[in-house]
Amino acid sequence: MGDGALFLGARLNGGRYEAAVIDEKARDVLVLPLEARGHSFAIDAPRRRAVAFARSPGRFAVAFGMAGGEPVAIAAADNRHFFGHGIFTPDGRLMLATENDYEAGRGVAGIYDATDRFRRIGEFATDGIGPHEVVLAGDGKTLCVANGGILTHPDYGRSKLNLATMRPSLTYVDIASGGVIDKAELAPELRQLSIRHMAVDGAGRVWFGCQYQGEAGERPPLVGRHRRGREVELFPAPSETQRRMRNYVGSLAVDASGDVLATSSPHGGLVVFWDTATGRHLGQRELADGCGIAPFDRGSVLATSGRGAVVKAGPDIILPLRPPDTDKPSWDNHLRRL
């Protein structure tokens, strides 16, 4: 690769929670202490800054620059908590965070003025429960929000309060107006297939990964694709791979070409690869407790694990950059390329 690419992830290091920027050889470039467990990030790559979010349900976030400077603490608003993900608008003026309006039991996206120390200036409804990840759609002016469909309330920790009535969805939101302009839902028989994480491929299609809340012995497809105006498509893996994924996709990333999707299943210790044009399963690589994945180069991703490993992985390759080691930092769910 050799282009000076940087990657950002949350981790536990010697009993301390951190957000860490690493280079393509897995060397630390920047380390930012976090007050508790982190989850994912909003990235403003042109301006070399990011916001780290607490793991859901969390009430802290922190904005920081890659060149240093004083971090800016962002507290959740009253009766809201963060869901661990966010995004900057392309002009860098606003940062949007998925949040829970837990008294009303509805999902919202908080709007923060990135030009004014991330002051919260409003919110819009995501037209669903439990919004998790948000991505910028292929047109550059529409957001896609994954409403996982799971109702939670901080009084009950991470308990899932509505498994019998879940309705996960993808909603498309116009950045300029904050209005929902489209919505896609799964078939009723798949209502317990919680849509959690997403990635956009080279053709602008939204790929998503799910975490199934139904019977453990059932094996619904966990990976899907959607384009506005069309039906949701789901892609099952080969039966043994499907079994090993254990009804849980932890993260998604599309390679640098836009043609290969990677999905991580930390419970099964797999990173699974898919052809974005056809949805065909391309293969898989073993990575124990591996969850964080980010685009690396053509045909591969950089992947991190809760056991300290950092690897380059693709359908036909796995190259350790840091081997598993209990003395190494334990990486959390997500890895982002800056």
Side-chain angles (χ1 to χ4, degrees), residues 317-335:
I317 183 175
I318 186 159
L319 176 64
L321 302 177
R322 285 186 183 178
D325 187 332
T326 54
D327 292 330
K328 296 285 177 56
S330 173
W331 294 90
D332 221 301
N333 291 52
H334 295 292
L335 186 71

Side-chain angles (χ1 to χ4, degrees), residues 72-133:
V72 177
I74 307 169
D78 291 343
N79 298 323
R80 305 286 186 273
H81 69 70
F82 297 119
F83 272 122
H85 289 265
I87 193 170
F88 279 85
T89 54
D91 62 7
R93 190 173 63 83
L94 302 175
M95 192 278 291
L96 310 170
T98 52
E99 300 176 0
N100 188 12
D101 176 359
Y102 50 83
E103 295 298 348
R106 68 181 186 125
V108 301
I111 305 171
Y112 296 81
D113 185 346
T115 70
D116 186 14
R117 295 184 62 80
F118 294 86
R119 179 171 58 89
R120 195 177 194 274
I121 58 175
E123 66 182 30
F124 58 80
T126 66
D127 198 16
I129 292 174
H132 198 67
E133 186 155 17

Side-chain angles (χ1 to χ4, degrees), residues 152-202:
T152 58
H153 190 289
D155 287 352
Y156 303 95
R158 294 170 61 85
S159 296
K160 300 161 184 171
L161 306 175
N162 68 330
L163 293 182
T165 58
M166 287 175 56
R167 291 186 63 183
S169 64
L170 298 173
T171 54
Y172 293 85
V173 179
D174 177 66
I175 290 179
S177 68
V180 174
I181 56 177
D182 204 351
K183 185 174 184 177
E185 294 184 293
L186 302 178
E189 62 270 23
L190 296 174
R191 59 179 173 73
Q192 290 185 309
L193 199 54
S194 180
I195 303 173
R196 307 286 283 183
H197 297 109
M198 297 179 290
V200 179
D201 70 17

Side-chain angles (χ1 to χ4, degrees), residues 255-260 273 296-301 312-317:
D255 78 325
S257 73
D259 297 333
V260 177
F273 297 91
F296 192 81
D297 55 16
R298 190 177 185 86
S300 70
V301 296
K312 173 184 175 181
D316 303 314
I317 183 175

Side-chain angles (χ1 to χ4, degrees), residues 1-11 18-32 39-43 45 48-52 64-66 251-256 292-298 300-304 309-313 321-322 331-332 334-338:
M1 185 169 57
D3 60 356
L6 298 175
F7 303 85
L8 173 59
R11 66 189 189 187
E18 302 173 337
V21 177
I22 59 174
D23 66 14
E24 71 274 17
K25 295 184 178 179
R27 299 173 299 200
D28 283 0
V29 175
L30 176 70
V31 176
L32 177 75
H39 189 71
S40 191
F41 308 89
I43 304 290
R48 308 296 283 176
R49 59 181 175 171
V51 173
F64 60 99
M66 301 305 142
S251 187
L252 287 80
V254 172
D255 78 325
I293 47 177
F296 192 81
D297 55 16
R298 190 177 185 86
S300 70
V301 296
L302 193 71
T304 53
V310 183
V311 304
K312 173 184 175 181
L321 302 177
R322 285 186 183 178
W331 294 90
D332 221 301
H334 295 292
L335 186 71
R336 298 294 186 220
R337 181 166 174 166
L338 297 173

